[in-house]
Amino acid sequence: MATTFEVLAEPRRRDILDLLRTGERAVGDLVEALPLSQPTVSKHLKVLREAGLVEVRQDAQRRWYRLRPEPLAEIEQWLRPYRRMWEQHLDALEHHLDQTREQT
């Protein structure tokens, strides 16, 4: 099974997740919103489902997909130290720019 990072490396899968951020969507809605065929969207949804990033609910003939936040929270937790590092660098840059402005 692919890791979460391998699954998210595919831009179209990230596009699907972006669409699901606002809530549950039917496969047909995703197909309409993306420049992809229905079989391609379904293939990507299968990979996302197998990775645990989305879950599906059957309602008559329609399949509804929604995000599963837990795997994304794990990624956020992994990124947290890197975010702090960038914030420190940006804070240092802001401080440097403030000092430069004061000197002119």
Side-chain angles (χ1 to χ4, degrees), residues 76-86 88:
E76 196 282 326
Q77 183 178 9
W78 182 82
L79 286 171
R80 193 173 295 140
Y82 298 96
R83 186 176 293 115
R84 278 191 224 116
M85 178 191 70
W86 279 108
Q88 290 170 352

Side-chain angles (χ1 to χ4, degrees), residues 9-45:
E10 165 56 52
R12 298 301 183 197
R13 292 186 197 126
R14 292 193 309 269
D15 292 342
I16 291 170
L17 292 179
D18 286 343
L19 290 169
L20 294 175
R21 269 192 331 220
T22 58
E24 191 176 62
R25 287 185 157 213
V27 175
D29 296 339
L30 294 170
V31 171
E32 286 179 18
L34 297 165
L36 303 171
S37 68
Q38 189 277 328
T40 300
V41 171
S42 291
K43 178 181 125 190
H44 286 304
L45 286 167

